[in-house]
Amino acid sequence: MTHTEATSRISFEKLVTVLEQIFAKHGVSSVNARVLAVNCATCERDGSLSHGIFRIPGYVGSLKSGWVDGCAVPVVREFGPAFIRVDAMNGFAQPALKAAMPRVIEMAMTSGAAVVAIKDSHHFSALWPDLEPLAKAGFVALSMVSGLACVAPPGGTVPVFGTNPIAFATPVAGRLPLIFDYATSTMSNGDLQLAARAGEHVEIGTGVDKEGKLTTEPNVILLGGAMLPFGGHKGAATALMVEIMASALTGGQFSSEVDISAHPGAETSKTGQVLIVIDPNRGGNFKFADRVKTLTQSLRIAGQSRLPSDRRYATRALSDKSGIPISAEQLRELTSLASTDIP
């Protein structure tokens, strides 16, 4: 669905409330439901449609199947002045990260950096919401997560990698943070599913069929085929790095090891996530944010009309002013899942 197809608008607060009801109804604790609802509503508000309302049926499917524990209480342990390990206890990644965040910030302020390794976590959203608060607080942050195997290496036909997204955020003097968040596959799995639903074709090179032949049909890629890394062997190397950092380093499963076959309806990936936070001002580098601003200005002068985050912030401003666009079909689906009318 695009925003132009929306038939009504809903406030951010109202959407959060509805999503909380849905999560709570399907076995998520009140604490975790709030975290997930805010995260999902934030994505929808800012135009990250492949990680907003679109994902709710997948969340519900994973919960109903018993694949994920909606009431999990993450276990946070420290190993040194700048290293935290979190066991998500087969719960969602966002509550696990939230549980560690106070110490993450303290460590970064004290030691100049902090590393968070989360395992046995189900990540089903965008990464930029995890990083934006850190960048607003003045930190540079980098995160990556592995997922369900759906991406084949160059020349291969068997999926080995997840879409393995990576995100980076930095403060910019006098402006909102600059953040990029992208899959190491040619496109996100969510966007591929949206293209399939809309009956659209994708660009050649996006993925292959089950015989390894290039195809522009999303459903052929999704059903027995595989997506491809962006940029050929360079994207594959980046996806490999994510597997090592988000799975091997955290102690989680590799994307190819995730098996949801015993849980019909499950869609979330149970792997791992790594977060690296750096204090850029450490050592007296107090002009860091100004230097980043100078660089971004140079890019605009050179002709780059849109930088990472620009569209997201513009969409956010419109949503905050006029409400979040929502289609009649989405409204019916949310109403059904929440078992209550949505005014």
Side-chain angles (χ1 to χ4, degrees), residues 60-280:
V60 172
S62 290
L63 288 161
K64 291 175 68 175
S65 71
W67 172 238
V68 60
D69 183 359
C71 295
V73 179
V75 177
V76 181
R77 294 189 176 96
E78 298 179 22
F79 296 88
F83 198 103
I84 294 175
R85 288 193 178 276
V86 184
D87 188 337
M89 303 298 289
N90 193 36
F92 292 107
Q94 293 90 338
L97 181 58
K98 185 175 179 62
M101 194 58 73
R103 283 297 295 143
V104 171
I105 294 175
E106 290 177 3
M107 282 183 170
M109 293 178 64
T110 302
S111 301
V115 176
V116 186
I118 305 174
K119 73 170 185 175
D120 290 339
S121 59
H122 294 252
H123 204 291
F124 208 44
S125 182
L127 288 172
W128 61 264
D130 299 343
L131 304 188
E132 185 174 329
L134 292 165
K136 284 183 175 179
F139 298 108
V140 172
L142 177 71
S143 187
M144 57 197 80
V145 61
S146 47
L148 293 171
C150 59
V151 179
T157 58
V158 178
V160 177
F161 304 130
T163 56
N164 291 12
I166 184 169
F168 171 81
T170 178
V172 182
R175 296 183 179 177
L176 291 168
L178 183 148
I179 309 173
F180 64 72
D181 177 2
Y182 60 84
T184 54
S185 51
T186 48
M187 65 191 304
S188 75
N189 187 267
D191 284 332
L192 185 63
Q193 291 183 53
L194 287 173
R197 288 188 180 188
E200 300 172 347
H201 287 83
V202 293
E203 293 185 9
I204 194 72
T206 298
V208 296
D209 63 18
K210 60 183 179 181
E211 296 178 350
K213 297 179 181 178
L214 293 173
T215 177
T216 61
E217 295 286 347
N219 280 317
V220 173
I221 298 172
L222 290 166
L223 302 174
M227 300 177 72
L228 293 173
F230 77 87
H233 68 280
K234 293 182 179 180
T238 306
L240 175 61
M241 177 193 70
V242 174
E243 291 284 340
I244 293 170
M245 293 292 286
S247 291
L249 179 66
T250 65
Q253 297 183 97
F254 290 122
S255 299
S256 58
E257 294 174 333
V258 179
D259 182 6
I260 61 176
S261 60
H263 300 270
E267 292 188 25
T268 56
S269 58
K270 180 186 175 184
T271 52
Q273 178 183 6
V274 69
L275 172 69
I276 300 170
V277 183
I278 302 169
D279 178 3

